Amino acid sequence: MNTSNKPVKGFLLDITGVLYNSDPNTIGRVIEGSVEAVNRLYAESAVRFVTNESSRSRKHLFEKLTKLGFTLKEEHIFMPVPEAKRYIKDHNLRPHILEFEDLDTNNPNCVLMGDAEAGFTYETMNAAFRVLHETSDPLIVTLGCGKFYQRIDGPCMDVGGFACALQYACDARVITVGKPDKQFFMTAVDDMGLMTDEVVMIGDDIVSDVGGAQKAGIRGVQVRTGKWRQSWINHSVKPDLIADDLQSAVNMLLKKSVN
Amino acid sequence: MNTSNKPVKGFLLDITGVLYNSDPNTIGRVIEGSVEAVNRLYAESAVRFVTNESSRSRKHLFEKLTKLGFTLKEEHIFMPVPEAKRYIKDHNLRPHILEFEDLDTNNPNCVLMGDAEAGFTYETMNAAFRVLHETSDPLIVTLGCGKFYQRIDGPCMDVGGFACALQYACDARVITVGKPDKQFFMTAVDDMGLMTDEVVMIGDDIVSDVGGAQKAGIRGVQVRTGKWRQSWINHSVKPDLIADDLQSAVNMLLKKSVN
């Protein structure tokens, strides 16, 4: 838990489970009050969106949010793919890719994993396993390490478990890019020109959002939407605030920051 | 490493990678000399077969080995399914099953995992995840925890990684039935009426076969067939003997036990 009492000058928002809920049959379902909350943040504060999603481009995600009724700027959405690309280039890696596109993948010497979806089959996992099995220093770069995400029809395994599967099978090292990695939060905080103790992160994942932000010196707010579980009351991560939903959190925090 | 110098009176043999290699297109390929080695063991010693395979019945495996040219008794094959059934019954568990059949699966309160094969898809993993996610004390019972097995066309992820994936996603407990669990080796040792220090285990898996046996007080012999990797020379598990293949191991050990 972070004990900063500084006024909140900027907000980082998780997207899925905070702005809308995933639905396998539609583009998603807006969480009540979240459109208005985003509007209020743009009017009265600073806001950036930080998500580990990787299976689609930022443009695609921006268009989806716009269709859902949100008003925001595309460049305010932060996704881990650019950071992953930077890491891969800096370390001369040639990734074998599980579940997203648009990178050179010749003669791979590491595995890059993104959103866990139906494309994670025994065959695709095994192909990644064989790449790692052949290398002397097996390395997995994963965009986030979430345990699960919440869809309208129920909870769904996220990429973290599948990264563990490969790590175990190959005794591989794992590098996490995206939440909860500090660097990812910092990129968005820097973009607002703020200090970490002037910012709050609002998310539905107690580890990736709340715990990750707190480790970066950012106050972490847990919402009771998306994947929220009542049992997290006893979680080792202690949010700075638990709010019913995004709108409730924003209303509480903006009020507070005015005082 | 086990330092018993007692004569070897009984042999435990792993099957895949020791007797034959898996091949997705045929019933398998016999490893040279292994038929003769099994014959010699039946003639001059005692022998039992211990495998973590679970996707098919013992009868099916016996018939496959017979077709491949081996002469053995069906009741000398030890597989983990009966032990898993006993564990499940003793603990009043109702398993959700990944990858094998023939158990009551109503209203599941745990997950039982067997051989990792093509049936491990995102959908089947997620169905298991949802069962565990709903329970207050999530439990996975896994038949072995192997990292990989060797097929003619290359190495293949084994069940261990997939158990890790579910364990991570659900913070579940994991119970391993089958190798390397001591109880599994003991069942086969007891069946020969021998003491653990009179027995050797011959296998291609440094952890499940060699390390598991050694922890049970059984000498562990590593063969350079199946999934054998040269890098295991530096493994923390130190075999009592490393032999080129089953026949070579048997010839060395029977000779020795005669002395």
Side-chain angles (χ1 to χ4, degrees):
Chain A
M1 193 152 50
N2 193 300
T3 54
S4 167
N5 284 316
K6 284 202 181 176
V8 178
K9 294 184 178 171
F11 289 75
L12 303 178
L13 307 188
D14 180 31
I15 294 179
T16 310
V18 175
L19 301 188
Y20 74 92
N21 285 317
S22 294
D23 179 352
N25 301 314
T26 72
I27 60 166
R29 297 196 201 174
V30 173
I31 294 172
E32 199 180 327
S34 60
V35 168
E36 296 76 11
V38 170
N39 289 341
R40 188 170 175 201
L41 289 177
Y42 266 108
E44 302 178 32
S45 184
V47 59
R48 298 293 183 272
F49 305 87
V50 285
T51 176
N52 280 348
E53 283 181 57
S54 59
S55 59
R56 302 295 180 87
S57 69
R58 184 166 81 167
K59 184 164 187 292
H60 180 272
L61 182 55
F62 170 73
E63 287 169 356
K64 179 159 91 171
L65 291 171
T66 303
K67 270 187 204 158
L68 285 170
F70 291 95
T71 305
L72 75 163
K73 291 187 176 170
E74 184 180 333
E75 64 267 29
H76 289 168
I77 301 174
F78 289 78
M79 298 169 81
V81 171
E83 198 179 329
K85 286 184 177 175
R86 202 160 43 237
Y87 183 90
I88 281 163
K89 197 177 166 201
D90 289 351
H91 292 78
N92 287 318
L93 298 169
R94 298 178 304 277
H96 172 95
I97 294 185
L98 256 168
E99 286 294 279
F100 65 96
E101 295 164 9
D102 180 29
L103 273 173
D104 171 27
T105 59
N106 280 319
N107 186 22
N109 60 2
C110 73
V111 164
L112 179 58
M113 307 179 73
D115 290 340
E117 285 177 1
F120 278 36
T121 64
Y122 183 78
E123 285 70 26
T124 59
M125 288 288 284
N126 206 45
F129 163 75
R130 288 183 176 185
V131 167
L132 296 170
H133 190 73
E134 285 304 306
T135 66
S136 58
D137 179 21
L139 173 66
I140 298 162
V141 179
T142 177
L143 306 194
C145 53
K147 291 174 184 284
F148 73 100
Y149 61 96
Q150 192 72 27
R151 238 172 32 190
I152 290 287
D153 60 319
C156 293
M157 282 184 78
D158 202 352
V159 66
F162 294 93
C164 280
L166 286 173
Q167 176 181 33
Y168 176 80
C170 311
D171 299 312
R173 285 187 298 133
V174 177
I175 302 284
T176 301
V177 175
K179 300 179 288 184
D181 183 56
K182 179 179 177 178
Q183 185 52 47
F184 188 59
F185 292 108
M186 290 311 299
T187 307
V189 170
D190 290 346
D191 192 62
M192 293 191 283
L194 295 173
M195 306 297 289
T196 53
D197 61 0
E198 298 172 318
V199 172
V200 296
M201 167 74 208
I202 304 178
D204 67 334
D205 192 307
I206 189 92
V207 173
S208 290
D209 295 327
V210 177
Q214 289 179 337
K215 278 190 188 153
I218 297 163
R219 283 164 281 184
V221 177
Q222 172 74 48
V223 283
R224 292 195 191 89
T225 54
K227 71 181 79 170
W228 158 256
R229 305 189 82 185
Q230 186 60 34
S231 62
W232 288 351
I233 290 290
N234 302 315
H235 200 285
S236 59
V237 172
K238 304 297 179 195
D240 292 271
L241 175 68
I242 301 180
D244 280 345
D245 53 27
L246 175 64
Q247 188 170 41
S248 162
V250 166
N251 288 345
M252 277 194 275
L253 291 163
L254 281 186
K255 204 171 178 184
K256 190 175 169 189
S257 73
V258 171
N259 287 347
Chain B
M1 193 152 49
N2 194 298
T3 54
S4 168
N5 283 316
K6 284 204 182 176
V8 177
K9 295 185 179 171
F11 290 74
L12 302 178
L13 306 188
D14 181 29
I15 294 179
T16 309
V18 175
L19 300 189
Y20 74 92
N21 285 316
S22 295
D23 179 352
N25 301 315
T26 71
I27 60 165
R29 298 197 201 173
V30 173
I31 294 172
E32 201 181 326
S34 61
V35 168
E36 295 76 12
V38 170
N39 288 342
R40 187 170 177 200
L41 290 177
Y42 267 107
E44 302 179 31
S45 184
V47 59
R48 298 293 184 271
F49 305 87
V50 286
T51 176
N52 280 347
E53 283 179 57
S54 60
S55 60
R56 301 296 178 89
S57 69
R58 185 167 78 167
K59 185 164 187 291
H60 181 273
L61 182 55
F62 170 71
E63 287 169 356
K64 179 159 91 170
L65 291 171
T66 302
K67 271 186 203 159
L68 286 169
F70 291 95
T71 306
L72 74 163
K73 291 187 176 169
E74 184 179 332
E75 63 267 30
H76 290 169
I77 301 173
F78 288 79
M79 298 170 80
V81 171
E83 198 178 329
K85 285 185 178 176
R86 202 160 43 238
Y87 183 91
I88 282 162
K89 197 177 165 200
D90 289 352
H91 293 78
N92 286 318
L93 298 169
R94 296 177 306 275
H96 171 94
I97 294 186
L98 255 167
E99 285 294 279
F100 66 96
E101 295 165 9
D102 179 30
L103 272 172
D104 171 27
T105 59
N106 280 320
N107 186 22
N109 60 2
C110 73
V111 165
L112 179 58
M113 307 179 74
D115 290 340
E117 284 178 1
F120 278 36
T121 64
Y122 184 78
E123 285 70 27
T124 58
M125 287 287 286
N126 206 45
F129 163 75
R130 287 182 177 186
V131 167
L132 295 170
H133 189 74
E134 284 304 306
T135 65
S136 57
D137 179 20
L139 173 66
I140 298 163
V141 179
T142 177
L143 305 196
C145 54
K147 290 174 183 285
F148 73 100
Y149 61 95
Q150 192 71 26
R151 240 175 25 192
I152 290 286
D153 61 318
C156 294
M157 283 183 78
D158 201 353
V159 66
F162 295 93
C164 280
L166 286 173
Q167 176 181 33
Y168 177 81
C170 310
D171 300 310
R173 283 187 299 132
V174 176
I175 301 284
T176 301
V177 175
K179 298 179 290 183
D181 183 55
K182 179 180 177 177
Q183 184 53 47
F184 188 58
F185 292 107
M186 289 312 298
T187 307
V189 170
D190 290 347
D191 192 60
M192 293 191 282
L194 295 173
M195 306 297 289
T196 53
D197 60 0
E198 299 172 317
V199 172
V200 296
M201 168 74 207
I202 304 178
D204 67 334
D205 192 307
I206 189 92
V207 174
S208 290
D209 294 327
V210 178
Q214 289 179 336
K215 279 192 187 151
I218 298 164
R219 281 165 281 184
V221 177
Q222 172 74 48
V223 283
R224 292 194 190 90
T225 54
K227 71 180 79 168
W228 158 258
R229 305 190 82 185
Q230 186 60 35
S231 63
W232 287 351
I233 290 289
N234 302 314
H235 201 286
S236 59
V237 173
K238 304 297 179 195
D240 292 271
L241 174 70
I242 301 182
D244 280 346
D245 53 26
L246 175 63
Q247 188 171 41
S248 163
V250 167
N251 288 346
M252 278 194 275
L253 291 164
L254 281 187
K255 207 172 179 181
K256 190 176 169 188
S257 72
V258 171
N259 288 346

